[in-house]
Amino acid sequence: TCSTIVPMKSRPETISIADFGGVGDGRKLNTNAFKEAIFRIQHLHHAGGTTLFIPPGVWLTGPFNLTSHMTLFLSQGAVIKASQDVERWPLIDPLPSYGRGRELDGGRYMSLIHGDGIQDVIITGDNGTIDGQGDMWWNMWRQRTLPFTRPNILELMHSTDIIISNVVFRNSPFWNIHPVYCSYLVVRNVTILAPHDSPNTDGIDPDSSSNVCIEDSYIATGDDLVAIKSGWDEYGIAYGRPSSGITIRRVTGSSPFAGIAVGSETSGGVENVWIENITIFNSGFGIHIKTNVGRGGYIRNITITDVKMTEVRYGLRIAGDVGDHPDDKFNPNALPAVSGLMIKNVWGEEVQQPGLIKGIKNSPFTGICLYNVKLLNEVPWKCTDVSGSALVVQPGACSELTSTTG
């Protein structure tokens, strides 16, 4: 396990949302109850911190901020449900490493549960649910009536020593769990669910973050299950904070896009990533490493091992022509460097296209090493602007990789 990087702890004090006028009938809006309870935790400075207990019931609320040294505990049968009144969702500034909202110019809607500059925070429970009620947001996206970028269910910024465990996330308006500029963060034993056709409902997106552990979780959403990011074009290059020291293990799930993704927003760099024991089914891509001209940055020292996939369109895709740009100010000469990718012990069946590796003409991908990759299909690999090696790869890897089948 990698989850010991942040130790679980108990709190000496527990308060209930009901103590602050909260009503779990699914109708009363409890935003003020959450804010008042967290205000108390913040200002009492109880030694060892405080647990905010959410009893069984449906607790309707607008967005609220967490504070340091607290545990948000959802009991079995507890549902924190997002308000569908857009007026209840404050606008916040765009992320500096993105320069604008990810979907639209300007600001973005605050996440349902938000934290900025906090530490020692635990979100856990007896598999209670956080429901983003995303239908309204998905429909606005489809109808092109969104005024600003949609909210996440959970976003933590500039934060450290975080545990997220034993909670169900459902129907996020946009990305589900988005730690950005964070360090020492653990996500384990979570379930993340959204319809297969829900737009951009990524599961977990560590972004310009370090020392992150994601393990023992099930994710079935409308976009990448886990996607490692680090900023967008010239804004990510200028901010310059990489994602590094990330471990992803024992994750299972399904998506019309990727099981495990790196990118495409990687302008701050992604390095030192270990991914193992992944099971992917009924998905668009098994593994998708993606960047683009204008991104800059780098993707390096990535190890992916022990992956099983069934019913996927592409088993493995590593591509330098994926993703859009925030504006026309990006530098077309900012070419990403992709090197040192080890992909081994991968097995797949019902894989339509085993592999595509498409480097960048003036920045070829190097050190791409495949070992014991068996995708049980005779469709040939497609490769350009790449070098590396392939050993025990079926079907035989492209000629650009020094290849031996067996």
Side-chain angles (χ1 to χ4, degrees):
T1 182
C2 55
S3 60
T4 53
I5 64 168
V6 185
M8 181 66 82
K9 62 176 66 175
S10 59
R11 307 288 188 188
E13 180 188 54
T14 298
I15 59 177
S16 171
I17 191 68
D19 299 337
F20 296 84
V23 178
D25 62 359
R27 297 188 300 273
K28 179 178 176 178
L29 192 69
N30 293 287
T31 313
N32 287 337
F34 277 101
K35 289 180 177 179
E36 290 172 11
I38 293 167
F39 181 86
R40 172 178 167 167
I41 295 170
Q42 181 179 8
H43 290 276
L44 282 184
H45 304 294
H46 199 288
T50 300
T51 294
L52 175 56
F53 179 77
I54 312 301
V58 178
W59 306 86
L60 184 68
T61 181
F64 59 89
N65 283 286
L66 301 177
T67 191
S68 297
H69 311 299
M70 72 169 287
T71 296
L72 178 65
F73 188 97
L74 285 82
S75 63
Q76 185 175 15
V79 179
I80 295 177
K81 182 169 283 192
S83 168
Q84 291 194 304
D85 182 353
V86 175
E87 298 300 319
R88 303 282 182 185
W89 295 76
L91 285 174
I92 58 176
D93 290 336
L95 295 168
S97 58
Y98 283 73
R100 45 158 277 191
R102 184 57 186 83
E103 298 182 287
L104 296 164
D105 287 338
R108 59 209 180 93
Y109 289 104
M110 175 178 157
S111 58
L112 176 64
I113 301 176
H114 195 260
D116 190 353
I118 58 177
Q119 61 179 324
D120 179 25
V121 171
I122 300 170
I123 301 171
T124 190
D126 290 327
N127 291 314
T129 297
I130 303 174
D131 186 347
Q133 293 213 92
D135 306 62
M136 171 191 72
W137 300 98
W138 307 334
N139 288 334
M140 283 197 291
W141 180 86
R142 293 176 182 125
Q143 296 161 9
R144 300 184 178 183
T145 58
L146 269 175
F148 299 99
T149 294
R150 286 172 285 160
N152 311 295
I153 277 188
L154 171 64
E155 182 177 74
L156 301 173
M157 305 171 56
H158 309 287
S159 297
T160 188
D161 297 314
I162 307 294
I163 298 175
I164 303 163
S165 71
N166 300 93
V167 173
V168 177
F169 293 82
R170 185 184 293 275
N171 297 329
S172 180
F174 193 50
W175 302 342
N176 278 267
I177 300 174
H178 185 217
V180 57
Y181 323 135
C182 290
S183 60
Y184 293 97
L185 179 137
V186 172
V187 182
R188 64 188 301 264
N189 292 330
V190 300
T191 300
I192 303 176
L193 304 172
H196 229 53
D197 64 349
S198 56
N200 309 104
T201 51
D202 292 23
I204 306 168
D205 287 2
D207 197 340
S208 292
S209 292
S210 58
N211 298 307
V212 175
C213 172
I214 299 167
E215 63 181 17
D216 298 309
S217 295
Y218 179 85
I219 307 172
T221 61
D223 211 318
D224 300 337
L225 305 185
V226 179
I228 302 171
K229 303 176 181 291
S230 67
W232 202 12
D233 286 9
E234 68 271 24
Y235 305 104
I237 294 170
Y239 196 79
R241 177 160 177 172
S243 279
S244 65
I246 295 175
T247 300
I248 303 166
R249 51 166 47 118
R250 297 185 300 274
V251 171
T252 298
S254 171
S255 160
F257 289 91
I260 300 295
V262 176
S264 69
E265 306 91 334
T266 55
S267 299
V270 175
E271 64 183 350
N272 304 332
V273 176
W274 181 270
I275 299 167
E276 67 176 348
N277 293 317
I278 306 297
T279 302
I280 301 160
F281 61 94
N282 188 24
S283 295
F285 304 89
I287 299 162
H288 197 188
I289 297 171
K290 46 187 174 174
T291 185
N292 207 344
V293 170
R295 287 286 190 270
Y298 53 82
I299 299 171
R300 64 192 182 205
N301 194 19
I302 312 291
T303 299
I304 302 172
T305 182
D306 299 299
V307 178
K308 296 180 180 178
M309 58 182 77
T310 56
E311 295 184 72
V312 301
R313 284 201 321 276
Y314 277 92
L316 169 65
R317 189 170 192 257
I318 305 172
D321 61 351
V322 179
D324 56 353
H325 303 285
D327 50 42
D328 59 4
K329 298 182 180 65
F330 72 92
N331 178 4
N333 297 316
L335 302 180
V338 177
S339 63
L341 309 184
M342 167 60 81
I343 299 170
K344 61 182 181 177
N345 302 334
V346 177
W347 177 88
E349 63 179 6
E350 298 183 66
V351 177
Q352 294 177 28
Q353 170 67 53
L356 180 146
I357 307 177
K358 185 176 183 180
I360 297 170
K361 183 176 181 180
N362 294 319
S363 184
F365 298 170
T366 62
I368 310 301
C369 299
L370 310 180
Y371 173 71
N372 193 29
V373 176
K374 298 182 179 181
L375 298 174
L376 305 184
N377 192 318
E378 296 308 314
V379 176
W381 287 63
K382 298 178 181 179
C383 300
T384 57
D385 298 300
V386 59
S387 64
S389 63
L391 181 64
V392 194
V393 176
Q394 296 179 344
C398 41
S399 60
E400 289 83 353
L401 301 178
T402 306
S403 182
T404 300
T405 59

